[in-house]
């Protein structure tokens, strides 16, 4: 189990090197992974890969870091004096007087060679896996801290180096950041697909289409008077641009889904006073977010909490009961509740199943439920689920108090009956709102939408251009937007914003 990771960067007077120290709390083997510089003595590019030892405790740390012929030790000694110092410092810090373990190496361990650098950053790296508790960890860190030129890595520095060396595109870096911060299964799956390069590959394919179209236009400009130019060159370019416009339009219309998946859909719980809204919020969030009281009007402000609803991220809002003729404080709460309803991606409309004929319930049905198109989400920009709470108060044998109501779900927050059905309905609604990561790339950031919209606008200028030179320039602008999306030509300010979201050392 990995407890903590500390990363150090070597001085830049030599070729850049990184040293990562991973502190393990329990393991059967200790592994030291290092590499020699590609510009070291004899230009040796063979890397030291994995050297397992099986210490009985942290005191046996780094014992046996050379094979019987001493080859590994000479490799590190040849690398640079700094690595010899590191070896000595780490060894002394972690081991004390000890009895050598007589247990032999496992039969399935062996040495092997790796050609590199194949590290995460694309640079020559060394990695120490250190056994032991806080005392050993502290000793190793103190030893490393005394090495001249070593310093803790900055937040996101390893990932930024990987980006600089072409190991990751910018969209893949964003996928890694989203994976680190993912809290739900849907977020995890989306982040993994983006880290795997799905969105970047799509954009590079579009960029290749634009490159081909641009080549056709420029060929026509340069060689239109030659007989060797095949017919229909401009028609091919126009056809490719039209197909790309359609694809871009589809993804732009779907852009909010990816952003909801990354940041969470806004789910607002609304209804008349004392319908059980706060009880439902506590039930869905599995913690006491709101005060529950039989007194109407207990909630007078908007209470929000991030939750995992059926594997999808959501920001759940508990609102004041909607009613008229109340004091100024509660009336302000009602005003805020109505404002949240306008901003909601999904409304959970809650009514008391045992009190549907009350004026407050009827008014809520007329002003919120019916206008939102309950049971018919395709006819409205907002989705709504009507929940009839307190089903445990219904007379025995009366399963549905009002079958003429819009499509609804029966629930008892007291007993939990009906919760499974509500969660299944929420899963369907949130899947439609946030998108399914398995169906294709999603635009998870406003930056993605900005560049795709810029690309689409440039393609519109291409179609309207009366001069071929202007048409070619429009294609260059469109291709530039796609390049910026994947990280080509990005400004330092944009990169700083992206990488600052990483925790230290990642």
């Amino acid at each position: 189990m990995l407890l903590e990771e500390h990363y150090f960067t070597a001085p830049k007077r030599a070729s850049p090197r990184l040293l990562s120290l991973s502190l393990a709390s329990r393991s059967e083997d200790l592994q030291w992974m290092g590499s020699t510089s590609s510009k070291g003595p004899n230009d040796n590019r063979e890397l030291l890969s994995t050297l397992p030892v099986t210490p009985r405790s942290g005191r046996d740390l780094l014992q046996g870091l050379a094979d019987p012929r001493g080859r590994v030790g000479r490799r590190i000694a040849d690398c640079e004096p700094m690595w010899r110092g590191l070896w000595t410092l780490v060894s002394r810090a972690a081991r004390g007087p000890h009895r050598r373990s007589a247990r032999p190496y496992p039969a399935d361990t062996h040495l092997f060679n790796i050609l590199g650098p194949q590290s995460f950053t694309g640079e020559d790296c060394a990695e120490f896996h250190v056994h032991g508790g806080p005392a050993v960890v502290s000793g190793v860190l103190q030893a490393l801290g005394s090495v001249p030129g070593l310093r803790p890595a900055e937040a996101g520095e390893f990932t930024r180096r990987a980006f600089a060396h072409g190991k990751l595109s910018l969209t893949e870096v964003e996928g890694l950041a989203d994976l680190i911060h993912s809290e739900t299964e849907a977020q995890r799956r989306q982040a993994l697909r983006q880290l795997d390069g799905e969105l970047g590959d799509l954009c590079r394919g579009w960029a290749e289409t634009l490159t081909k179209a641009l080549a056709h236009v420029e060929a026509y400009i340069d060689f239109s008077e030659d007989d060797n130019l095949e017919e229909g060159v401009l028609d091919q370019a126009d056809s490719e641009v039209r197909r790309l416009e359609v694809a871009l339009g589809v993804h732009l219309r779907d852009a909010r889904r990816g952003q909801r998946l990354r940041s969470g859909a806004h789910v607002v719980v609304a209804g008349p006073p004392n319908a059980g809204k706060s009880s439902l919020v506590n039930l869905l969030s599995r913690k006491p977010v709101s005060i529950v009281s039989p007194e109407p009007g207990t909630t007078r402000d908007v209470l929000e909490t991030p939750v995992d609803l059926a594997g999808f991220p959501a920001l759940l809002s508990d609102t004041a009961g909607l009613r008229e003729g109340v004091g100024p404080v509660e009336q302000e709460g009602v005003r805020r509740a109505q404002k949240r309803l306008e901003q909601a991606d999904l409304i959970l409309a809650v009514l008391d199943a045992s009190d549907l004929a009350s004026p407050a319930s009827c008014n809520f049905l007329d002003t919120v439920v019916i206008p939102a198109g309950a049971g018919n989400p395709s006819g409205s920009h907002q989705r709504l689920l009507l929940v009839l709470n307190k089903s445990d108060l219904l007379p025995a044998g009366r399963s549905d108090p009002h079958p003429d109501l819009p499509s609804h779900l029966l629930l008892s927050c007291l007993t939990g009956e009906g919760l499974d059905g509500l969660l299944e309905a929420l899963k369907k609604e949130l899947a439609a709102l946030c998108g399914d990561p398995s169906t294709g790339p999603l635009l998870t950031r406003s930056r993605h939408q900005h560049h795709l919209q810029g690309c689409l606008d440039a393609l519109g200028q291409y179609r309207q251009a009366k001069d071929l030179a202007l048409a070619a320039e429009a294609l260059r602008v469109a291709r530039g937007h796609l390049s910026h999306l994947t990280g080509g030509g990005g400004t330092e300010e944009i990169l700083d914003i992206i990488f600052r979201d990483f925790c230290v050392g990642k």
Side-chain angles (χ1 to χ4, degrees):
M1 180 179 67
L2 195 63
L3 287 179
E4 189 178 2
E5 293 182 350
H6 298 266
Y7 299 88
F8 296 87
T9 303
K12 295 184 177 180
R13 46 189 169 79
S15 59
R17 291 183 179 84
L18 299 178
L19 175 69
S20 67
L21 178 64
S22 299
L23 307 175
S25 65
R26 180 172 55 87
S27 175
E28 286 299 318
D29 295 331
L30 171 68
Q31 296 178 338
W32 193 97
M33 293 176 289
S35 67
T36 61
S37 168
S38 60
K39 296 183 180 180
N42 304 322
D43 194 26
N44 193 337
R45 297 184 62 84
E46 180 181 346
L47 302 184
L48 171 64
S49 55
T50 303
L51 277 172
V53 296
T54 53
R56 304 187 69 88
S57 69
R59 294 175 302 177
D60 296 326
L61 184 67
L62 298 180
Q63 178 183 342
L65 279 181
D67 64 8
R69 290 162 293 182
R71 180 176 55 187
V72 175
R74 285 197 299 271
R75 286 286 158 78
I76 296 180
D78 288 343
C79 180
E80 194 173 294
M82 184 184 70
W83 299 115
R84 295 200 302 270
L86 281 176
W87 182 319
T88 303
L89 286 169
V90 172
S91 301
R92 291 177 178 173
R95 78 184 174 196
H98 63 279
R99 176 178 55 84
R100 292 183 178 272
S101 172
R103 185 171 57 176
Y105 293 149
D108 58 348
T109 58
H110 58 277
L111 294 167
F112 58 94
N113 297 327
I114 302 176
L115 296 180
Q118 297 294 332
S119 64
F120 174 77
T121 63
E123 299 172 309
D124 295 334
C125 295
E127 182 172 347
F128 292 91
H129 288 221
V130 181
H131 282 248
V136 174
V137 170
S138 177
V140 172
L141 290 178
Q142 289 179 14
L144 291 175
S146 66
V147 176
L150 255 64
R151 61 170 176 80
E154 298 175 359
E157 184 171 355
F158 273 56
T159 304
R160 188 158 190 165
R161 286 173 177 254
F163 170 73
H165 288 87
K167 303 287 283 189
L168 294 173
S169 69
L170 195 54
T171 52
E172 291 168 349
V173 168
E174 291 171 330
L176 178 57
D178 291 343
L179 182 62
I180 292 172
H181 298 291
S182 63
E183 297 180 347
T184 69
E185 176 61 18
Q187 288 177 318
R188 184 190 68 84
R189 288 189 286 117
Q190 162 60 23
L192 282 174
R193 294 179 75 93
Q194 187 163 323
L195 175 59
D196 196 41
E198 192 174 71
L199 179 59
D201 291 342
L202 178 65
C203 292
R204 280 187 287 271
W206 287 340
E208 290 177 4
T209 298
L210 288 178
T211 300
K212 184 177 180 181
L214 179 60
H216 287 167
V217 173
E218 292 186 337
Y220 190 87
I221 294 175
D222 294 337
F223 308 109
S224 60
E225 297 180 359
D226 296 347
D227 296 335
N228 294 330
L229 191 65
E230 63 182 64
E231 297 181 359
V233 170
L234 290 182
D235 293 337
Q236 293 180 33
D238 291 342
S239 178
E240 291 167 351
V241 167
R242 282 194 298 270
R243 285 195 297 268
L244 182 54
E245 283 183 305
V246 172
L248 290 173
V250 170
H251 279 79
L252 284 170
R253 286 192 296 271
D254 209 28
R256 280 284 296 147
R257 298 173 69 193
Q259 293 181 41
R260 289 192 197 102
L261 180 59
R262 178 172 174 264
S263 58
H266 193 183
V267 180
V268 174
V269 181
N274 215 25
K277 301 182 299 299
S278 297
S279 297
L280 179 57
V281 169
N282 293 343
L283 184 64
L284 292 176
S285 60
R286 298 183 292 277
K287 59 183 178 181
V289 175
S290 303
I291 297 175
V292 177
S293 169
E295 179 183 348
T298 302
T299 302
R300 297 189 175 188
D301 204 347
V302 178
L303 302 177
E304 296 182 331
T305 181
V307 295
D308 180 346
L309 291 180
F312 289 90
L315 182 65
L316 195 60
S317 298
D318 186 13
T319 59
L322 301 179
R323 62 174 176 174
E324 297 179 355
V326 294
V329 176
E330 189 175 347
Q331 192 60 43
E332 174 62 19
V334 171
R335 186 191 67 81
R336 295 185 181 188
Q338 292 170 337
K339 184 177 181 180
R340 281 296 193 278
L341 282 173
E342 298 173 358
Q343 302 170 345
D345 296 314
L346 173 64
I347 299 173
L348 279 180
V350 184
L351 289 174
D352 185 342
S354 64
D355 191 28
L356 293 176
S358 67
S361 296
C362 293
N363 182 63
F364 182 73
L365 282 169
D366 293 338
T367 59
V368 177
V369 176
I370 294 177
N376 183 25
S378 60
S380 174
H381 71 284
Q382 278 186 320
R383 293 178 174 268
L384 184 145
L385 285 176
L386 177 58
V387 180
L388 303 185
N389 187 29
K390 305 184 181 182
S391 62
D392 55 288
L393 298 181
L394 295 177
R398 189 179 178 186
S399 59
D400 197 338
H402 284 281
D404 56 331
L405 284 175
S407 177
H408 56 273
L409 297 163
L410 286 175
L411 173 70
S412 172
C413 289
L414 180 64
T415 66
E417 184 178 0
L419 179 60
D420 291 341
L422 174 59
L423 290 176
E424 187 62 31
L426 282 170
K427 183 177 182 179
K428 293 179 180 178
E429 295 291 336
L430 291 173
L433 283 169
C434 299
D436 185 355
S438 64
T439 60
L442 296 174
L443 307 180
T444 57
R445 298 173 184 251
S446 57
R447 188 183 71 86
H448 302 164
Q449 187 174 10
H450 166 75
H451 286 300
L452 289 192
Q453 185 62 56
C455 179
L456 185 62
D457 294 342
L459 295 182
Q461 296 174 6
Y462 165 83
R463 288 188 293 101
Q464 298 174 3
K466 303 299 183 181
D467 183 88
L468 286 179
L470 295 178
E473 180 60 25
L475 291 180
R476 292 189 190 94
V477 172
R479 191 176 60 167
H481 277 288
L482 295 179
S483 176
H484 278 76
L485 198 153
T486 56
T491 63
E492 286 296 316
E493 290 79 7
I494 295 295
L495 297 178
D496 290 340
I497 291 173
I498 292 173
F499 285 106
R500 75 183 180 191
D501 289 337
F502 284 82
C503 55
V504 174
K506 287 292 184 281

